Amino acid sequence: MNGILYLVATPIGNLGDITHRAIEVLKSVDFILAEDTRTSLRVLKHYDIHTPFFSSVYQGAERQRILSILSLLGDGKHLALVSDAGTPLVSDPGFPLVRAAVDAGQPVVPVPGPCAAIAGLTASGLPLDRFSFEGALPRGRGARQSLFTSLESREETCVFYESSHRILDSLQLLVEVLPTRRLVLARELTKVHEEFLRGTASELHTCLAEKDRVRGEFVLIVGGAETPVTADQEAVHRMLEELKAENLPNKSIVRILVNGLGIPRNEAYRIVHQKDDGERNEPS
Ligand code: SAM
């Protein structure tokens, strides 16, 4: 019988944020695989869980452990992977192991729970119908600047993890690159000093800069582009003619206009369908 690899979400601050099922699974498995055993011990002690650790799967050590972990699963042992906080694999170790288990045909079962990105998004007041999770912002200033610049025509809400050391600098970059966007900083989620700061980059920068020291963990949420990007009408018309001549379906043409020319989706849809209506109404 194959063992099961459970992916168990644990609290991102408030120890109460753990599901009954997560506790049951952590108590019942043969071993817990932790990112850092010392960090996970705090949660395990709190819930009187005495399951032994197998090993740490911190980034770097993970690949060396995969074969022995697969062999445990092959022997029918049930394992639970936990990270230091929140959902494993979300900006945390675990992906190579899960990929290897899936490829080896071993059952992998999620035990969902807290995730800082989702917690921040849900209370942000920004649209969630479409969002993009971008993980941790790069350390380098140039890379962060290019990343923010690439958001200029993006309409969906974008979510980033950022450290307290760089958050002021990232906000300064946003003042320069995306000065009018609605931003939300979700700080210390689920903890005593939880706070949401909402405003433009310059408003948030001023607010944080006033503090003696910038402390805590941050989720940075950038609202999507609200004003349509004005694409060159000539270029749009030419591209539309060429795509229509190739008999591409309207859905594909809309996608190409959005991705190729940075036209907002609803605008691209309108242009494509307006052209169809115009052609239908032309006298034969
Ligand atoms: N796996 C975690 C999850 O599900 O959210 C994310 C782990 S990632 C290594 C750590 C980053 O997540 C932090 O640097 C911070 O940006 C964000 N984060 C984690 N806990 C947070 C909290 N309580 N409040 C705000 N941000 C948090």
Side-chain angles (χ1 to χ4, degrees):
M1 193 195 73
N2 278 336
I4 297 172
L5 174 60
Y6 293 96
L7 311 173
V8 183
T10 55
I12 55 169
N14 188 322
L15 282 176
D17 291 333
I18 188 163
T19 66
H20 288 295
R21 183 167 167 239
I23 296 169
E24 275 167 24
V25 167
L26 290 171
K27 282 187 170 168
S28 68
V29 291
D30 296 290
F31 294 106
I32 293 173
L33 311 169
E35 179 182 3
D36 181 334
T37 52
R38 288 161 304 181
T39 311
S40 293
L41 261 181
R42 195 169 146 254
V43 178
L44 300 183
K45 273 192 181 148
H46 187 82
Y47 287 100
D48 205 22
I49 298 168
H50 302 282
T51 309
F53 289 112
F54 174 64
S55 62
S56 293
V57 283
Y58 57 86
Q59 233 118 30
E62 189 177 355
R63 286 179 193 277
Q64 300 152 22
R65 308 269 151 84
I66 287 178
L67 281 183
S68 40
I69 294 171
L70 287 184
S71 126
L72 279 178
L73 290 169
D75 289 344
K77 302 283 185 219
H78 298 311
L79 310 175
L81 174 69
V82 294
S83 64
D84 284 353
T87 303
L89 277 82
V90 177
S91 278
D92 268 338
F95 170 68
L97 172 61
V98 170
R99 169 62 69 82
V102 168
D103 287 350
Q106 303 287 0
V108 178
V109 174
V111 183
C115 172
I118 299 296
L121 266 171
T122 45
S124 67
L126 293 173
L128 263 93
D129 50 342
R130 276 176 63 222
F131 66 84
S132 158
F133 173 64
E134 304 282 337
L137 275 164
R139 283 162 187 258
R141 195 158 207 268
R144 264 180 292 145
Q145 186 168 31
S146 319
L147 185 55
F148 290 146
T149 306
S150 76
L151 303 185
E152 265 170 358
S153 61
R154 298 261 292 269
E155 291 175 83
E156 80 276 23
T157 303
C158 290
V159 191
F160 302 91
Y161 287 157
E162 182 56 305
S163 87
S164 54
H165 312 297
R166 285 185 297 271
I167 190 68
L168 266 176
D169 190 49
S170 287
L171 287 173
Q172 182 53 48
L173 284 173
L174 283 162
V175 171
E176 292 156 25
V177 180
L178 300 171
T180 58
R181 285 296 176 83
R182 288 172 193 246
L183 304 186
V184 178
L185 263 186
R187 180 175 162 267
E188 293 289 86
L189 286 161
T190 78
K191 303 183 196 175
V192 181
H193 297 293
E194 174 179 282
E195 71 177 331
F196 282 84
L197 301 174
R198 300 179 175 88
T200 60
S202 113
E203 286 164 347
L204 297 193
H205 188 278
T206 307
C207 185
L208 270 198
E210 277 168 0
K211 297 185 190 282
D212 291 343
R213 225 178 106 194
V214 179
R215 271 189 276 216
E217 298 193 278
F218 290 89
V219 178
L220 168 64
I221 309 173
V222 180
E226 285 178 9
T227 44
V229 175
T230 40
D232 171 1
Q233 294 304 312
E234 257 309 301
V236 175
H237 186 72
R238 259 198 323 274
M239 193 180 254
L240 194 57
E241 291 293 340
E242 283 164 19
L243 296 170
K244 287 273 179 193
E246 284 179 41
N247 282 328
L248 282 180
N250 281 349
K251 222 164 71 181
S252 310
I253 299 182
V254 168
R255 200 176 317 125
I256 293 169
L257 292 181
V258 171
N259 296 335
L261 295 181
I263 299 174
R265 188 172 301 277
N266 51 1
E267 176 68 4
Y269 187 86
R270 191 187 60 73
I271 295 169
V272 171
H273 287 272
Q274 196 177 42
K275 173 143 181 66
D276 278 353
D277 292 343
E279 277 168 2
R280 267 201 293 279
N281 294 335
E282 265 173 28
S284 47

